[in-house]
Amino acid sequence: MNRLAGFSMSSRIRSRSWNASEVSVSSPDSRYTTAADSSSSWTSTLSCFQFAIDPPMFHVGSQCLTRESLPSQRASREASRVSVLSWGVVRSGWGPASFRDSPFRLGMGTAGSNDMKPTSIAHALGGQVGVGSEIRIQGWVRTRRDSKAGLSFIHVHDGSSFDPIQVVAGNSLANYESEVAKLSAGCAVDVVGTLVESQGKGQSTEIQASSVEVVGWVEDPDTYPVSPKRHTFEYLREVAHLRPRTNTIGAVTRVRNCLAQAVHRFFHERGFYWIHTPIVTGSDCEGAGDMFRVSTLDLCNIPKTPDGKVDYSQDFFGKETNLTVSGQLNVECYCLALSKVYTFGPTFRAENSYTARHLAEFWMIEPEIAFADLDQDADLADELLKYCFRAVLEERADDMAFFVERIEKTAIERLEKFIATPLTHLDYTDAIEILETCGKTFEFPVHWGADLQTEHERFLAEEHVKGPVAIKNYPKEIKAFYMRMNDDGKTVAAMDILAPGIGEIVGGSQREERLDRLDARIAELGLNIDDYWWYRDLRRYGTVPHAGFGLGFERLVVYATGVQNIREVIPFPRWAGNATF
RNA sequence: UCCUCGGUAGCUCAAUGGUAGAGCAUGCGGCUGUUAACCGCAGGGUUGUAGGUUCGAGUCCUACCCGGGGAGCCA
């Protein structure tokens, strides 16, 4: 017996039409195709199957095509078409005779459509494919409009660009009535045709389809959560698994990727090393906010020490550990050896923050530069931001145009202005004076020594400067222990970059490189000096002035896109009470 | 955690304490090289949950749950 067995990856029956002239089953290695008569009906993706050639047997693994496995609403319509497919062996009573009896043809390619290499829609629309050439695209239906002249216009999207491509499917297609005319938003299709100049308005080229294969149906178009209409962002968050199919989230996703690539390119071009600082930290001295505990202790049976406290010595790491709130202290170690370094990874803050600019899990970029002071630090941040925005304008013009049209009118203008304008530097002391004399009354009074409230930051960035502004040299009382003491003894070399609509996008400082001053600050703040032994070692062995900053990646995406809420710019946002998906 | 607004059809929203509606979406029909198409018809509801007031509650009261916006914290 010629038995072909043990395909571990998923495979798929590639045709579901009753009219199909053939059924092909493909695996990563090869494809098996057989003829099937017009009454055969197939749906579902199969995996882990075995194929026996002689006698014809069909072992189905994890997903078995049965009446029950059919989507509910379709079941009634289609059940009559589905013959009995039992678990394990296809019985002789199942399926069309021609299928059972026909020899399986081995190898690539009996179905012409499956031979052609698919093209991304971005390539098809971008002029890389010549008009008149054969083309194959794979994607999902956005909309379908019918013309009773015997045509359907199908917008197909594959994520490669903002625009979908228009597929023109005529009623001469064998599955036109049975399938093409029933396509709805979200259906997955595999289209072969000719790239032609469009006869209609709205697009220059389109595909005249010679074949439209439905790879995956939408089970119940009536309740498909991402119907072609306007949805609120709040609603889309509840269907976060499907929201990448929308224009906005798709565009945000491409811009986010563009920004991430630009960040790495920026640093790479300047000789920075990307340092993978730990996600799990045993350092309890990061002090940047409430932390998520990491533990393997049984919550129902927590070991206690004799004095009644949690006995972390029995925990996985033998000590209390948490998810990182910043890679800064770790990356400083590498900075003082490799000179120019940065981190770019996930960060976790267990704060009950319900605002449009906070997440419990977010990505942060933290460069650290040796032999550098605060101004060089601020300049680096400015350059990085400008580099990233330039990349977005150049690489994602299509998505940015959409943001201007639907999300934020000034999205492009704002980035262009940012790029063209030198970053405004403002001393904290001067900022306070501006706030005190601006004639505006604030809910929170302004005075030297107080931290800037959101309303103050907004005034400075949105009304006074009307653009991003770096505020430098804050009072030491409101900043972290590691920031470098200025000569005045009152302020530290800290800087925050405030952006309109977002507030603080960058927070950084020159680090205190003098051991005696560092120790004094640790003591002043009542911190346990023993916890900082390795951090202090950096000041004992070849210390140099150095500086760095943290840039909230999602805030960067928010600023670039003009999207209002940070929860829209990360695929699966986490905030207090929300970790579905 | 605090302040504030809200929860009604798949989605967005209406509805003096008195018969729960519209637009979009979906299905069917018509029309059309269409493109947020258009025209007609249809299906679709335990009004967030649990109590209470009332002859009568989507509407008023109480508690809770969920969501938005703002604040704090920060990136």
Side-chain angles (χ1 to χ4, degrees), chain A residues 113-359:
Chain A
S113 66
N114 293 343
D115 288 343
M116 197 183 299
K117 197 179 167 195
T119 305
S120 78
I121 291 170
H123 274 68
L125 294 173
Q128 283 98 326
V129 179
V131 170
S133 51
E134 285 288 300
I135 187 174
R136 176 184 183 192
I137 56 121
Q138 299 169 316
W140 292 267
V141 173
R142 278 283 169 79
T143 58
R144 189 201 84 235
R145 294 173 300 280
D146 299 324
S147 164
K148 281 291 163 17
L151 294 171
S152 282
F153 300 93
I154 309 159
H155 273 170
V156 180
H157 192 262
D158 69 358
S160 61
S161 63
F162 180 81
D163 290 316
I165 197 164
Q166 176 160 282
V167 171
V168 183
N171 59 5
S172 58
L173 293 174
N175 63 342
Y176 182 80
E177 289 298 329
S178 61
E179 298 194 318
V180 173
K182 295 187 169 87
L183 285 170
S184 61
C187 290
V189 290
D190 192 330
V191 177
V192 174
T194 311
L195 192 72
V196 296
E197 302 221 357
S198 179
Q199 295 174 38
K201 289 170 186 165
Q203 61 281 316
S204 55
T205 54
E206 63 193 16
I207 295 175
Q208 187 68 48
S210 57
S211 146
V212 175
E213 181 188 315
V214 184
V215 180
W217 288 96
V218 165
E219 139 178 342
D220 182 0
D222 188 35
T223 57
Y224 180 57
V226 194
S227 56
K229 59 156 292 177
R230 275 188 83 93
H231 295 288
T232 59
F233 288 127
E234 295 78 35
Y235 167 71
L236 289 173
R237 275 176 221 151
E238 294 169 13
V239 288
H241 59 311
L242 300 174
R243 70 176 185 167
R245 302 171 182 214
T246 63
N247 276 335
T248 306
I249 301 298
V252 164
T253 303
R254 284 182 295 272
V255 169
R256 182 182 169 107
N257 173 71
C258 172
L259 285 166
Q261 300 287 356
V263 165
H264 284 305
R265 210 164 54 237
F266 172 86
F267 286 123
H268 181 65
E269 286 170 1
R270 283 159 185 74
F272 282 67
Y273 298 110
W274 180 19
I275 309 300
H276 303 135
T277 50
I279 306 296
V280 175
T281 176
S283 170
D284 49 6
C285 50
E286 297 189 18
D290 295 335
M291 303 173 91
F292 289 100
R293 176 156 297 133
V294 174
S295 174
T296 55
L297 293 177
D298 180 0
L299 286 178
C300 299
N301 186 21
I302 296 172
K304 297 281 179 65
T305 57
D307 57 352
K309 293 181 178 166
V310 176
D311 184 5
Y312 287 109
S313 70
Q314 294 188 41
D315 206 344
F316 186 85
F317 293 105
K319 63 178 295 192
E320 188 176 356
T321 50
N322 295 285
L323 292 179
T324 184
V325 293
S326 165
Q328 183 203 314
L329 301 190
N330 288 296
V331 89
E332 278 188 49
C333 305
Y334 276 72
C335 175
L336 295 180
L338 298 162
S339 300
K340 292 188 282 188
V341 297
Y342 70 106
T343 72
F344 187 175
T347 307
F348 307 87
R349 306 255 170 108
E351 309 274 356
N352 281 327
S353 296
Y354 299 97
T355 80
R357 54 189 188 284
H358 288 89
L359 291 166

Side-chain angles (χ1 to χ4, degrees), chain A residues 26-40:
Chain A
S26 65
S27 79
D29 319 309
S30 53
R31 179 176 295 118
Y32 304 89
T33 306
T34 184
D37 73 17
S38 61
S39 69
S40 68

